[in-house]
Amino acid sequence: MSRPTVPPVVAFVSSAVAFMTVMAAAGAPSALLVVYQQRWHFPDSELTIAFAIYALALLLALLAIGSLSDRIGRRPVLIVALALQAVAMVVFLFAPDIAVIIVARALQGFATGVATSAFSAYISEVAPAAQKKLAALVVSIASVAGLGIGVVLTGIAIQLAAAPAAVVFGAALAIIVIAIVVTAASPETVGEHQGIGDALVLRIGVPSAARTAFARTAPGMIGIWMSAGLVLGLGSSIVHQALHITSGAALGLVVAAQPLAAAVSALVLGPLMPPRRFMLAGYVAVLAGVSLEACSFAAGLASLIICGAIVTGLGFGAVFSSTLGILVPLTRAQERAKLFSAVYVVAYLAYGVPTVVAGFLSDAIGLVPAAIIYAAATVAITAAGLIVSLTRTGSMSRDALPGDTQEARAHDVRASTSSAA
């Protein structure tokens, strides 16, 4: 570590708080977009574009410069990522219309993508030896839990504050500015710096040993990430328009239920079940949860969408963590970044693109019918993933490389799951 001016424990705590804040700020617009829609009266298609542009920009950043901190150091990448986040917060604070919100979301998504891989590595590296297990836990839950916490706190701000956006983004901006200062004075954890070189080249592909397994798990990945987009992309509008819930706190709770449940599932329930059984149970949960959500849209029952979001979140965490548990052991360590890039391409395209399509469809036929069609498509694709898993998962699991220990596999899966949120 070079030029440490603050103790590693301070750098560890600061980076953990900053990472959680970045993810919480990313979740905030999911609840605020319905407030903006009430104020500016824009169509559902523009609302879903504002949602999906974040995922697509984040994906671009992961592919383009996700490994940059390995070459030039963690600190400079984190400082730039946090600075971009600060700019995005300022744009959110002064946005006069939905077009500027879309720009802010794109900037926020790109900055979050830059920060995700660098923060994940830095938190694990800078933590004191006695706190390594805590660091692994922070990396595992920061993304998913931060997203859910951000939605909940934003919902409370909507309920209690006259200017919720100013409260949410102003608080995030203050924390991020402090984090930039502390990060600039924190120790570096990459010893030998290299040039940027080919780190700024878009890379995508699946290692040859994992291609068959990747193809077989792709339908399930698409299905579960579509289920995430259904609630996070359309949920706040449906809760307000179809279920007639006007409480900001209740709105935030509904939208946050799924990511929080996913975090609980991956971290708490995963170690208690064999991976194959956990994955199959997850598929069943996603199918049941999305079906409950569709019923809630049609019947106008708020209780069903909350139950559906929780059940879907539990299933999401089970399927995604188990999928990574199958794919990761099939690749050598030096190929795993390439594998994760391919996983995230599938995930974020499934997360963002169908939501945009549903938004345009809702302008033509109405929000509730569009959401029901979206849910039906999600159920169909997830069911295809379940059918493939029933016949193929066992053979895929037996193909794992012999050099991978169960402990290393579990660590990789949990760290990887956090980056996907």
Side-chain angles (χ1 to χ4, degrees):
M1 295 185 183
S2 63
R3 297 190 298 112
T5 56
V6 300
V9 66
V10 175
F12 167 59
V13 173
S14 172
S15 57
V17 172
F19 191 21
M20 190 76 76
T21 301
V22 166
M23 298 313 302
S30 293
L32 281 171
L33 283 173
V34 69
V35 176
Y36 293 134
Q37 190 176 35
Q38 291 174 329
R39 182 185 306 167
W40 296 325
H41 307 290
F42 52 83
D44 292 330
S45 57
E46 293 186 9
L47 182 146
T48 53
I49 289 173
F51 166 79
I53 195 68
Y54 165 85
L56 298 178
L58 187 151
L59 175 62
L60 175 62
L62 281 172
L63 290 175
I65 54 180
S67 64
L68 183 60
S69 68
D70 290 335
R71 302 182 64 87
I72 68 173
R74 310 291 183 213
R75 279 190 313 183
V77 173
L78 287 174
I79 289 171
V80 171
L82 289 170
L84 289 175
Q85 287 284 350
V87 173
M89 297 303 101
V90 172
V91 177
F92 275 121
L93 282 171
F94 296 100
D97 53 40
I98 187 59
V100 178
I101 292 293
I102 291 173
V103 172
R105 282 292 276 171
L107 180 59
Q108 183 184 42
F110 190 86
T112 303
V114 174
T116 295
S117 57
F119 264 130
S120 298
Y122 188 68
I123 290 170
S124 299
E125 294 163 354
V126 80
Q131 304 299 327
K132 291 299 183 183
K133 289 185 178 179
L134 176 60
L137 179 62
V138 169
V139 170
S140 297
I141 68 172
S143 293
V144 179
L147 188 68
I149 290 170
V151 176
V152 170
L153 294 179
T154 302
I156 294 173
I158 292 171
Q159 185 70 26
L160 301 178
V167 172
V168 171
F169 295 121
L173 177 62
I175 296 173
I176 289 170
V177 169
I178 294 171
I180 291 173
V181 174
V182 177
T183 301
S186 295
E188 178 59 75
T189 58
V190 175
E192 182 179 352
H193 294 182
Q194 306 174 36
I196 293 177
D198 63 353
L200 298 180
V201 178
L202 285 170
R203 296 179 180 276
I204 180 173
V206 180
S208 57
R211 285 173 187 166
T212 300
F214 185 91
R216 290 169 177 165
T217 56
M221 283 194 291
I222 293 171
I224 65 171
W225 281 91
M226 285 179 66
S227 76
L230 176 62
V231 170
L232 291 174
L234 300 177
S236 59
S237 293
I238 293 171
V239 168
H240 178 75
Q241 295 181 29
L243 305 182
H244 309 293
I245 295 176
T246 57
S247 166
L251 186 150
L253 180 62
V254 171
V255 178
Q258 185 165 323
L260 292 177
V264 171
S265 177
L267 296 177
V268 178
L269 301 180
L272 303 178
M273 298 178 65
R276 173 175 165 79
R277 187 179 302 171
F278 192 43
M279 169 181 273
L280 297 178
Y283 277 122
V284 173
V286 171
L287 290 171
V290 174
S291 298
L292 283 174
E293 290 166 1
C295 291
S296 76
F297 303 156
L301 297 176
S303 58
L304 282 183
I305 193 173
I306 296 174
C307 292
I310 293 173
V311 173
T312 302
L314 293 174
F316 178 98
V319 174
F320 193 61
S321 61
S322 299
T323 298
L324 292 178
I326 291 170
L327 296 176
V328 168
L330 297 177
T331 57
R332 295 186 296 271
Q334 62 268 29
E335 295 178 320
R336 288 177 181 170
K338 182 180 181 181
L339 170 68
F340 294 146
S341 294
V343 168
Y344 296 145
V345 167
V346 173
Y348 282 109
L349 287 176
Y351 183 65
V353 173
T355 308
V356 174
V357 174
F360 281 98
L361 186 61
S362 70
D363 289 343
I365 65 174
L367 180 60
V368 171
I372 292 174
I373 292 173
Y374 187 142
T378 302
V379 167
I381 295 174
T382 304
L386 173 60
I387 293 170
V388 172
S389 295
L390 285 171
T391 58
R392 301 293 187 180
T393 304
S395 62
M396 287 187 292
S397 299
R398 290 192 295 271
D399 292 336
L401 294 178
D404 286 287
T405 66
Q406 186 67 29
E407 180 180 355
R409 187 181 309 169
H411 178 273
D412 284 341
V413 167
R414 289 173 182 169
S416 304
T417 303
S418 70
S419 301

